[in-house]
Amino acid sequence: MVGPSMTDADRRRFLRYTQVGFALLIGVSMGLVTMYGGAELLTVLGIFVGGTAAGGALAWYIIPESIAETPYESFDRGPKPGAKMKQRRQENDGSGQRASEDDGRLSQNRD
């Protein structure tokens, strides 16, 4: 059986990079909009820092850290393919005999 391809530390690191990237994307976007609006450099810098802080809060809310703590295997994804068919076969071990009896009744009704 093959195990998970990512360790928990890798998963947490990727999640942290995603959150930081999201926060910086919001901050840079707000800073550029302010700069193209004709604001002074100090105002642009303040909006960038404020936007990054707001983006960090949004990232913390949208991308929770609990994602990194929950391994893939813990999710209940239902039965494996073919499990229901196997269960039906085990429950109906005499199904072949029952089918032949049904065929016999059908052929008697036709006569």
Side-chain angles (χ1 to χ4, degrees):
M1 182 171 176
V2 177
S5 60
M6 290 178 68
T7 64
D8 288 339
D10 291 339
R11 191 176 292 119
R12 276 190 227 99
R13 187 179 315 114
F14 175 76
L15 181 66
R16 180 63 59 197
Y17 289 159
T18 304
Q19 289 175 330
V20 168
F22 185 83
L24 287 174
L25 178 71
I26 300 295
V28 168
S29 174
M30 291 180 77
L32 285 174
V33 167
T34 307
M35 186 174 71
Y36 284 122
E40 295 179 9
L41 189 59
L42 188 59
T43 305
V44 171
L45 183 62
I47 294 295
F48 167 74
V49 170
T52 303
L58 281 172
W60 177 76
Y61 180 74
I62 293 172
I63 309 167
E65 292 181 11
S66 62
I67 294 173
E69 297 169 359
T70 308
Y72 180 79
E73 292 83 19
S74 71
F75 289 110
D76 181 22
R77 303 216 183 264
K80 294 181 177 161
K84 288 185 180 181
M85 179 77 73
K86 185 176 180 181
Q87 183 181 7
R88 282 188 216 131
R89 285 182 185 161
Q90 289 174 350
E91 290 172 357
N92 300 326
D93 281 338
S95 63
Q97 183 180 6
R98 207 175 323 147
S100 63
E101 290 172 3
D102 290 343
D103 290 341
R105 273 190 274 148
L106 288 175
S107 63
Q108 290 175 357
N109 289 339
R110 289 184 201 166
D111 292 334

